[in-house]
PDB file of all heavy atoms in Angstrom:
ATOM      1  N   ASN N 341     175.290 -35.414 146.129  1.00 98.00           N
ATOM      2  CA  ASN N 341     175.565 -35.263 144.703  1.00 98.00           C
ATOM      3  C   ASN N 341     176.207 -33.916 144.392  1.00 98.00           C
ATOM      4  O   ASN N 341     175.805 -32.883 144.922  1.00 98.00           O
ATOM      5  CB  ASN N 341     174.287 -35.406 143.879  1.00 98.00           C
ATOM      6  CG  ASN N 341     173.911 -36.837 143.603  1.00 98.00           C
ATOM      7  OD1 ASN N 341     172.742 -37.188 143.600  1.00 98.00           O
ATOM      8  ND2 ASN N 341     174.890 -37.707 143.368  1.00 98.00           N
ATOM      9  N   GLY N 342     177.191 -33.944 143.511  1.00 96.00           N
ATOM     10  CA  GLY N 342     177.891 -32.741 143.099  1.00 96.00           C
ATOM     11  C   GLY N 342     179.304 -33.074 142.665  1.00 96.00           C
ATOM     12  O   GLY N 342     179.734 -34.231 142.683  1.00 96.00           O
ATOM     13  N   GLU N 343     180.048 -32.056 142.286  1.00 92.00           N
ATOM     14  CA  GLU N 343     181.390 -32.230 141.733  1.00 92.00           C
ATOM     15  C   GLU N 343     182.486 -32.297 142.786  1.00 92.00           C
ATOM     16  O   GLU N 343     183.649 -32.496 142.457  1.00 92.00           O
ATOM     17  CB  GLU N 343     181.706 -31.070 140.786  1.00 92.00           C
ATOM     18  CG  GLU N 343     180.816 -30.979 139.568  1.00 92.00           C
ATOM     19  CD  GLU N 343     181.193 -29.812 138.683  1.00 92.00           C
ATOM     20  OE1 GLU N 343     181.300 -28.686 139.223  1.00 92.00           O
ATOM     21  OE2 GLU N 343     181.405 -30.026 137.490  1.00 92.00           O
ATOM     22  N   ALA N 344     182.129 -32.140 144.060  1.00 95.00           N
ATOM     23  CA  ALA N 344     183.147 -32.039 145.101  1.00 95.00           C
ATOM     24  C   ALA N 344     184.142 -33.197 145.116  1.00 95.00           C
ATOM     25  O   ALA N 344     185.349 -32.969 145.221  1.00 95.00           O
ATOM     26  CB  ALA N 344     182.487 -31.876 146.467  1.00 95.00           C
ATOM     27  N   PRO N 345     183.708 -34.475 145.023  1.00 96.00           N
ATOM     28  CA  PRO N 345     184.700 -35.552 145.047  1.00 96.00           C
ATOM     29  C   PRO N 345     185.728 -35.458 143.914  1.00 96.00           C
ATOM     30  O   PRO N 345     186.912 -35.725 144.133  1.00 96.00           O
ATOM     31  CB  PRO N 345     183.839 -36.817 144.930  1.00 96.00           C
ATOM     32  CG  PRO N 345     182.557 -36.431 145.594  1.00 96.00           C
ATOM     33  CD  PRO N 345     182.331 -35.008 145.137  1.00 96.00           C
ATOM     34  N   ASP N 346     185.285 -35.088 142.715  1.00 94.00           N
ATOM     35  CA  ASP N 346     186.228 -34.906 141.607  1.00 94.00           C
ATOM     36  C   ASP N 346     187.262 -33.834 141.924  1.00 94.00           C
ATOM     37  O   ASP N 346     188.467 -34.016 141.742  1.00 94.00           O
ATOM     38  CB  ASP N 346     185.475 -34.487 140.347  1.00 94.00           C
ATOM     39  CG  ASP N 346     185.102 -35.657 139.462  1.00 94.00           C
ATOM     40  OD1 ASP N 346     185.346 -36.811 139.862  1.00 94.00           O
ATOM     41  OD2 ASP N 346     184.561 -35.427 138.371  1.00 94.00           O
ATOM     42  N   LYS N 347     186.778 -32.686 142.393  1.00 91.00           N
ATOM     43  CA  LYS N 347     187.669 -31.560 142.638  1.00 91.00           C
ATOM     44  C   LYS N 347     188.609 -31.834 143.804  1.00 91.00           C
ATOM     45  O   LYS N 347     189.808 -31.548 143.737  1.00 91.00           O
ATOM     46  CB  LYS N 347     186.838 -30.304 142.895  1.00 91.00           C
ATOM     47  CG  LYS N 347     185.966 -29.911 141.712  1.00 91.00           C
ATOM     48  CD  LYS N 347     184.980 -28.837 142.117  1.00 91.00           C
ATOM     49  CE  LYS N 347     184.010 -28.547 140.985  1.00 91.00           C
ATOM     50  NZ  LYS N 347     182.959 -27.590 141.397  1.00 91.00           N
ATOM     51  N   LEU N 348     188.048 -32.387 144.860  1.00 96.00           N
ATOM     52  CA  LEU N 348     188.886 -32.710 146.006  1.00 96.00           C
ATOM     53  C   LEU N 348     189.884 -33.805 145.665  1.00 96.00           C
ATOM     54  O   LEU N 348     191.041 -33.763 146.111  1.00 96.00           O
ATOM     55  CB  LEU N 348     188.008 -33.139 147.179  1.00 96.00           C
ATOM     56  CG  LEU N 348     187.177 -32.025 147.827  1.00 96.00           C
ATOM     57  CD1 LEU N 348     186.276 -32.604 148.907  1.00 96.00           C
ATOM     58  CD2 LEU N 348     188.070 -30.936 148.399  1.00 96.00           C
ATOM     59  N   GLY N 349     189.446 -34.791 144.874  1.00 96.00           N
ATOM     60  CA  GLY N 349     190.369 -35.842 144.473  1.00 96.00           C
ATOM     61  C   GLY N 349     191.564 -35.289 143.728  1.00 96.00           C
ATOM     62  O   GLY N 349     192.719 -35.645 144.019  1.00 96.00           O
ATOM     63  N   ALA N 350     191.318 -34.395 142.773  1.00 92.00           N
ATOM     64  CA  ALA N 350     192.417 -33.778 142.019  1.00 92.00           C
ATOM     65  C   ALA N 350     193.309 -32.959 142.934  1.00 92.00           C
ATOM     66  O   ALA N 350     194.547 -32.972 142.806  1.00 92.00           O
ATOM     67  CB  ALA N 350     191.849 -32.906 140.902  1.00 92.00           C
ATOM     68  N   ALA N 351     192.702 -32.232 143.886  1.00 93.00           N
ATOM     69  CA  ALA N 351     193.487 -31.424 144.811  1.00 93.00           C
ATOM     70  C   ALA N 351     194.360 -32.297 145.709  1.00 93.00           C
ATOM     71  O   ALA N 351     195.523 -31.988 145.965  1.00 93.00           O
ATOM     72  CB  ALA N 351     192.560 -30.552 145.652  1.00 93.00           C
ATOM     73  N   LEU N 352     193.803 -33.404 146.180  1.00 96.00           N
ATOM     74  CA  LEU N 352     194.559 -34.286 147.062  1.00 96.00           C
ATOM     75  C   LEU N 352     195.692 -34.987 146.328  1.00 96.00           C
ATOM     76  O   LEU N 352     196.763 -35.205 146.902  1.00 96.00           O
ATOM     77  CB  LEU N 352     193.609 -35.309 147.692  1.00 96.00           C
ATOM     78  CG  LEU N 352     192.584 -34.721 148.667  1.00 96.00           C
ATOM     79  CD1 LEU N 352     191.552 -35.769 149.063  1.00 96.00           C
ATOM     80  CD2 LEU N 352     193.264 -34.138 149.890  1.00 96.00           C
ATOM     81  N   VAL N 353     195.475 -35.333 145.060  1.00 95.00           N
ATOM     82  CA  VAL N 353     196.577 -35.885 144.261  1.00 95.00           C
ATOM     83  C   VAL N 353     197.703 -34.861 144.160  1.00 95.00           C
ATOM     84  O   VAL N 353     198.887 -35.182 144.334  1.00 95.00           O
ATOM     85  CB  VAL N 353     196.079 -36.293 142.860  1.00 95.00           C
ATOM     86  CG1 VAL N 353     197.265 -36.600 141.937  1.00 95.00           C
ATOM     87  CG2 VAL N 353     195.160 -37.512 142.947  1.00 95.00           C
ATOM     88  N   THR N 354     197.353 -33.611 143.890  1.00 92.00           N
ATOM     89  CA  THR N 354     198.352 -32.549 143.798  1.00 92.00           C
ATOM     90  C   THR N 354     199.116 -32.399 145.101  1.00 92.00           C
ATOM     91  O   THR N 354     200.358 -32.321 145.117  1.00 92.00           O
ATOM     92  CB  THR N 354     197.674 -31.212 143.426  1.00 92.00           C
ATOM     93  OG1 THR N 354     197.100 -31.327 142.126  1.00 92.00           O
ATOM     94  CG2 THR N 354     198.672 -30.067 143.426  1.00 92.00           C
ATOM     95  N   LEU N 355     198.409 -32.362 146.213  1.00 94.00           N
ATOM     96  CA  LEU N 355     199.074 -32.206 147.511  1.00 94.00           C
ATOM     97  C   LEU N 355     199.927 -33.419 147.844  1.00 94.00           C
ATOM     98  O   LEU N 355     201.041 -33.280 148.380  1.00 94.00           O
ATOM     99  CB  LEU N 355     198.030 -31.971 148.602  1.00 94.00           C
ATOM    100  CG  LEU N 355     197.303 -30.627 148.541  1.00 94.00           C
ATOM    101  CD1 LEU N 355     196.130 -30.610 149.518  1.00 94.00           C
ATOM    102  CD2 LEU N 355     198.259 -29.472 148.842  1.00 94.00           C
ATOM    103  N   ALA N 356     199.442 -34.619 147.539  1.00 95.00           N
ATOM    104  CA  ALA N 356     200.214 -35.825 147.826  1.00 95.00           C
ATOM    105  C   ALA N 356     201.498 -35.876 147.017  1.00 95.00           C
ATOM    106  O   ALA N 356     202.493 -36.475 147.445  1.00 95.00           O
ATOM    107  CB  ALA N 356     199.364 -37.064 147.541  1.00 95.00           C
ATOM    108  N   ARG N 357     201.491 -35.237 145.851  1.00 92.00           N
ATOM    109  CA  ARG N 357     202.677 -35.192 145.003  1.00 92.00           C
ATOM    110  C   ARG N 357     203.610 -34.037 145.357  1.00 92.00           C
ATOM    111  O   ARG N 357     204.639 -33.848 144.714  1.00 92.00           O
ATOM    112  CB  ARG N 357     202.252 -35.070 143.545  1.00 92.00           C
ATOM    113  CG  ARG N 357     201.660 -36.355 142.954  1.00 92.00           C
ATOM    114  CD  ARG N 357     201.113 -36.113 141.568  1.00 92.00           C
ATOM    115  NE  ARG N 357     200.902 -37.352 140.832  1.00 92.00           N
ATOM    116  CZ  ARG N 357     200.363 -37.428 139.621  1.00 92.00           C
ATOM    117  NH1 ARG N 357     199.954 -36.305 139.021  1.00 92.00           N
ATOM    118  NH2 ARG N 357     200.212 -38.583 139.015  1.00 92.00           N
ATOM    119  N   GLY N 358     203.244 -33.263 146.352  1.00 91.00           N
ATOM    120  CA  GLY N 358     204.092 -32.150 146.760  1.00 91.00           C
ATOM    121  C   GLY N 358     203.741 -30.838 146.118  1.00 91.00           C
ATOM    122  O   GLY N 358     204.492 -29.862 146.235  1.00 91.00           O
ATOM    123  N   GLY N 359     202.606 -30.767 145.434  1.00 90.00           N
ATOM    124  CA  GLY N 359     202.185 -29.523 144.806  1.00 90.00           C
ATOM    125  C   GLY N 359     201.430 -28.632 145.774  1.00 90.00           C
ATOM    126  O   GLY N 359     201.315 -28.927 146.970  1.00 90.00           O
ATOM    127  N   THR N 360     200.919 -27.537 145.269  1.00 88.00           N
ATOM    128  CA  THR N 360     200.193 -26.586 146.097  1.00 88.00           C
ATOM    129  C   THR N 360     198.765 -26.442 145.604  1.00 88.00           C
ATOM    130  O   THR N 360     198.485 -26.619 144.420  1.00 88.00           O
ATOM    131  CB  THR N 360     200.870 -25.205 146.093  1.00 88.00           C
ATOM    132  OG1 THR N 360     200.901 -24.713 144.746  1.00 88.00           O
ATOM    133  CG2 THR N 360     202.288 -25.289 146.630  1.00 88.00           C
ATOM    134  N   VAL N 361     197.878 -26.104 146.512  1.00 89.00           N
ATOM    135  CA  VAL N 361     196.470 -25.863 146.220  1.00 89.00           C
ATOM    136  C   VAL N 361     196.103 -24.505 146.802  1.00 89.00           C
ATOM    137  O   VAL N 361     196.362 -24.241 147.976  1.00 89.00           O
ATOM    138  CB  VAL N 361     195.584 -26.963 146.828  1.00 89.00           C
ATOM    139  CG1 VAL N 361     194.105 -26.601 146.685  1.00 89.00           C
ATOM    140  CG2 VAL N 361     195.862 -28.309 146.162  1.00 89.00           C
ATOM    141  N   THR N 362     195.508 -23.660 145.986  1.00 86.00           N
ATOM    142  CA  THR N 362     195.105 -22.330 146.429  1.00 86.00           C
ATOM    143  C   THR N 362     193.593 -22.266 146.551  1.00 86.00           C
ATOM    144  O   THR N 362     192.878 -22.536 145.587  1.00 86.00           O
ATOM    145  CB  THR N 362     195.588 -21.248 145.441  1.00 86.00           C
ATOM    146  OG1 THR N 362     197.009 -21.351 145.298  1.00 86.00           O
ATOM    147  CG2 THR N 362     195.229 -19.856 145.954  1.00 86.00           C
ATOM    148  N   LEU N 363     193.112 -21.906 147.717  1.00 87.00           N
ATOM    149  CA  LEU N 363     191.682 -21.742 147.949  1.00 87.00           C
ATOM    150  C   LEU N 363     191.237 -20.352 147.521  1.00 87.00           C
ATOM    151  O   LEU N 363     192.052 -19.419 147.479  1.00 87.00           O
ATOM    152  CB  LEU N 363     191.363 -21.945 149.429  1.00 87.00           C
ATOM    153  CG  LEU N 363     191.644 -23.346 149.975  1.00 87.00           C
ATOM    154  CD1 LEU N 363     191.555 -23.348 151.489  1.00 87.00           C
ATOM    155  CD2 LEU N 363     190.681 -24.352 149.381  1.00 87.00           C
TER     156      LEU N 363
END
Side-chain angles (χ1 to χ4, degrees):
N341 277 143
E343 297 180 309
D346 266 5
K347 298 169 186 175
L348 290 176
L352 293 171
V353 169
T354 296
L355 291 170
R357 287 173 163 176
T360 60
V361 172
T362 303
L363 296 169

